[in-house]
Amino acid sequence: MAEGSSNFSVCVDNETYEDSTLLRVEGENVHGILLQIVQALSDLDLIISKATISADSGWFMNVFHVTDHHGHKLRDPNFIRYIQRSLDGDQEGNGSYDITQLKICRDNKVNVEQYFASDCIALEISCVDIPGIFSKITAVLFELSFMVDTGKVWTHNGCAACILYIKDRDTGRSISDRARLSCLLKNISTVVKAHHLPDKLWGVRLRHAAYRIHTERRLHQLMQEQMDYQVTPSPLQANEDLSMLAISVVE
């Protein structure tokens, strides 16, 4: 079974191995193509147990041994077509397969499984990793009658990033009051700004549940923006200030 594209083709093999499905992806070897493929498989919550990566004369062929999150082979033909079109970059023509039916870990996307029903809002924060800062942030949420449904926090090399899925503490429902959300952003930003360093980026942002977020990929982006890969901060000129405030509400 294969699906063509202008850049590469995808072939799904369920016959060769009993314990995994083979995905063979081949085509023009352009910059970033391997990352694009792996991210697409990660978005679908597929487990890659083995991979063979090869390239020659501007072309590549990558073979992935994959299973679903429960360790099973991929049998559903609609799901297979969806995988092919996802790898192909076709986000519109995914046939009759509803994205909410995918068996994806519920903490990967806002509007899959429980987040599709609860319509949580994602609070993104990137800041300096200082002891006690997240305690202060959760205290602000509590004081403003918000609750954290779930969330993830990453720290590395003195940098921290978190995505918290929040809703109203009293009703357990999503919050649509823009004045209340603006108040939340202002208060959280005040806490984060008070602990930032001149040579560090920081940001606070709200994203509505309708805006699709892959949690781990977004956390990686937030950490990369803070240059967490640098063991020591690069020297700054006297007039430079890399501090950043992002308090927009993403519709």
Side-chain angles (χ1 to χ4, degrees):
M1 190 186 310
E3 186 80 16
S5 78
S6 57
N7 293 321
F8 53 87
S9 63
V10 181
C11 179
V12 180
D13 176 5
N14 259 325
E15 304 299 328
T16 303
Y17 293 93
E18 294 183 357
D19 58 349
S20 65
T21 298
L22 288 185
L23 294 181
R24 187 173 69 247
V25 188
E26 55 186 321
E28 183 182 358
N29 190 23
V30 297
H31 178 72
I33 191 65
L34 178 59
L35 178 60
Q36 176 186 337
I37 294 169
V38 172
Q39 285 184 337
L41 297 178
S42 177
D43 285 355
L44 293 169
D45 208 33
L46 298 179
I47 304 300
I48 303 173
S49 59
K50 181 181 178 181
T52 303
I53 311 299
S54 59
D56 182 44
S57 301
W59 292 88
F60 76 91
M61 185 177 74
N62 302 331
V63 180
F64 301 92
H65 297 240
V66 302
T67 63
D68 64 19
H69 198 70
H70 302 286
H72 302 146
K73 295 176 69 171
L74 313 180
R75 297 291 190 183
D76 188 333
N78 288 329
F79 189 22
I80 290 174
R81 283 194 292 271
Y82 188 89
I83 292 171
Q84 291 172 319
R85 288 164 176 160
S86 295
L87 290 173
D88 193 29
D90 180 3
Q91 300 299 321
E92 301 297 330
N94 49 23
S96 61
Y97 208 92
D98 185 348
I99 183 64
T100 62
Q101 297 174 6
L102 297 180
K103 301 301 182 182
I104 296 176
C105 283
R106 68 184 188 181
D107 59 347
N108 275 355
K109 289 186 173 71
V110 175
N111 59 346
V112 172
E113 294 183 353
Q114 77 170 37
Y115 298 122
F116 187 82
S118 64
D119 197 33
C120 288
I121 288 178
L123 171 63
E124 296 181 356
I125 302 171
S126 56
C127 58
V128 177
D129 183 17
I130 294 178
I133 189 168
F134 287 110
S135 176
K136 294 179 181 179
I137 289 170
T138 54
V140 170
L141 290 168
F142 181 82
E143 290 172 4
L144 297 177
S145 297
F146 290 87
M147 66 173 289
V148 178
D149 191 58
T150 190
K152 284 192 175 182
V153 178
W154 282 11
T155 61
H156 182 241
N157 276 347
C159 300
C162 76
I163 297 179
L164 305 176
Y165 299 110
I166 61 174
K167 52 189 177 183
D168 184 84
R169 191 180 69 208
D170 299 324
T171 66
R173 298 177 180 177
S174 181
I175 306 100
S176 57
D177 187 335
R178 293 186 64 86
R180 186 178 174 192
L181 293 174
S182 296
C183 179
L184 173 65
L185 283 170
K186 180 179 178 181
N187 282 271
I188 297 293
S189 298
T190 298
V191 172
V192 175
K193 184 177 181 181
H195 294 84
H196 96 284
L197 300 176
D199 61 341
K200 292 293 185 180
L201 293 167
W202 67 277
V204 180
R205 181 179 290 108
L206 285 177
R207 295 183 185 272
H208 286 287
Y211 189 96
R212 298 187 62 78
I213 299 173
H214 187 282
T215 306
E216 293 185 356
R217 186 191 299 181
R218 183 60 183 147
L219 284 168
H220 178 76
Q221 292 171 345
L222 292 173
M223 295 295 283
Q224 190 174 41
E225 288 173 0
Q226 293 186 85
M227 297 178 286
D228 71 300
Y229 48 82
Q230 292 185 344
V231 177
T232 56
S234 59
L236 297 177
Q237 297 180 358
N239 61 348
E240 283 186 321
D241 185 358
L242 294 181
S243 62
M244 174 189 69
L245 173 60
I247 58 172
S248 58
V249 178
V250 180
E251 298 289 353

